[in-house]
Amino acid sequence: LPAVVVSVEGSGAAGFFEADADDVEDLRGWWAFNATPASCCPHYMDWYKRDHEASRRELAMQSEEGGPDDVLFSVVVPITDVPAEHLAETIRSVLGQSHRRLELLLVRTSQDNLEAARRCCREDPRIRLVDPPDGGDVAACVGTGIRLSFGDYVVLVECGDVLALDALYCYAREATEHPDCDMLYSDEDVLVGCELQRPCFKPDWDPDLLLGMNYVSHLLCVSRDVLEQVDLPGPEFGGAYDHHLALVAGEVARRVSHVPRVLYHARSVPAPAEARVEPSVIEAG
């Protein structure tokens, strides 16, 4: 009996074929070599800096272009209890975008980092501090931030995470080339200290996959037209507010675009000391 039945399409071929154990091993080897090379490479950050990240020259050219600048982005960041320097990195990565037409909404969820956020608002007119009455619940606060934003598109960024400096430019270009684009997401990796690790190269839009896992995750961006048609995140969604928004927005979006670039660096935060389980010593009686 065959070990597996494989569906084949593309390159002029379509149909099924039977794969025995040797065929399966060959397929696994092909996948490991061709599908996830950077994930397996210990030098991922070298590859990213050398071949993937936008250069200073490219960023300068993007800033000078006038076409995509017609798109206004509202970047919504809930302020949480991350270290102040991590919040500062998030803000710098937003304000440093090569696409300059943006607003940054810092949404208060507690008293943490509130004074730092106020200082930032005084330093750059593109920053607004949102003080929702339901402060404390992150999902509800994000919903309030979305309602108070003015952009053609709303982008969700978690406090402490970092954007590639051409992230909004790539999204603006996609939105300009495809005016029916209502939702966008990108590839991402993990920022561990100062190192970029564990890249996640995602598939194109797959609503069935999204039902089982939040593979869209970052950098989630939704058009104003769609946001006016769907229920915004509330306290009942907890930390899954971005998954909820991707699900409901994906149902009504005319076009969902996967931008195949690593545009988002999700910061890895060590577990708190009280959450770690220390081994216990049981003395023999």
Side-chain angles (χ1 to χ4, degrees):
L1 292 176
V4 67
V5 176
V6 180
S7 173
V8 180
E9 60 182 52
S11 301
F16 297 89
F17 75 91
E18 297 181 352
D20 59 22
D22 291 337
D23 292 329
V24 172
E25 284 303 312
D26 290 342
L27 286 170
R28 286 173 175 165
W30 179 91
W31 178 264
F33 183 78
N34 292 283
T36 56
S39 300
C40 304
C41 177
H43 307 298
Y44 163 70
M45 188 167 174
D46 293 338
W47 168 83
Y48 176 85
K49 294 291 185 182
R50 184 184 65 246
D51 299 328
H52 197 73
E53 185 178 41
S55 66
R56 290 184 180 180
R57 181 173 178 271
E58 289 171 326
L59 293 172
M61 292 175 61
Q62 292 169 8
S63 296
E64 293 173 1
E65 290 185 16
D69 284 341
D70 292 335
V71 182
L72 173 62
F73 290 98
S74 296
V75 181
V76 176
V77 179
I79 307 172
T80 57
D81 61 346
V82 302
E85 60 269 23
H86 292 174
L87 171 61
E89 285 186 57
T90 300
I91 294 173
R92 283 197 299 270
S93 76
V94 174
L95 299 182
Q97 290 292 304
S98 60
H99 180 89
R100 308 299 295 173
R101 196 155 184 258
L102 63 91
E103 64 170 356
L104 171 58
L105 288 86
L106 300 176
V107 187
R108 181 187 68 84
T109 63
S110 67
Q111 297 302 313
D112 296 302
N113 288 313
L114 195 54
E115 188 52 42
R118 289 186 176 127
R119 285 197 304 271
C120 292
C121 292
R122 293 192 290 267
E123 294 170 358
D124 194 307
R126 292 177 295 171
I127 306 177
R128 285 196 285 145
L129 179 61
V130 177
D131 193 2
D134 46 6
D137 182 87
V138 175
C141 290
V142 168
T144 300
I146 293 173
R147 280 187 286 270
L148 294 176
S149 63
F150 299 122
D152 304 303
Y153 290 84
V154 172
V155 181
L156 300 186
V157 176
E158 294 185 29
C159 194
D161 294 351
V162 176
L163 302 186
L165 295 181
D166 61 338
L168 296 186
Y169 172 84
C170 292
Y171 277 17
R173 185 176 59 188
E174 181 71 16
T176 302
E177 293 177 356
H178 303 284
D180 60 341
C181 182
D182 284 322
M183 189 167 102
L184 304 96
Y185 65 97
S186 71
D187 297 337
E188 61 184 287
D189 57 23
V190 178
L191 179 60
V192 182
C194 297
E195 291 287 325
L196 298 177
Q197 302 178 11
R198 306 201 299 274
C200 179
F201 301 108
K202 304 170 187 176
D204 288 339
W205 175 234
D206 187 340
D208 292 328
L209 179 61
L210 187 64
L211 289 173
M213 60 182 295
N214 184 18
Y215 85 91
V216 166
S217 192
H218 309 114
L219 173 66
L220 179 61
C221 174
V222 183
S223 73
R224 176 69 52 191
D225 290 341
V226 164
L227 291 171
E228 291 176 351
Q229 300 178 53
V230 301
D231 293 329
L232 296 181
E236 67 273 21
F237 296 105
Y241 62 85
D242 53 346
H243 193 183
H244 159 74
L245 185 57
L247 285 167
V248 296
E251 289 182 345
V252 298
R254 293 167 297 171
R255 178 188 179 97
V256 179
S257 291
H258 165 223
V259 178
R261 286 185 58 82
V262 179
L263 301 178
Y264 193 94
H265 311 300
R267 188 179 300 276
S268 175
V269 180
E274 59 269 18
R276 300 186 186 125
V277 178
E278 299 293 338
S280 59
V281 178
I282 302 177
E283 295 184 0

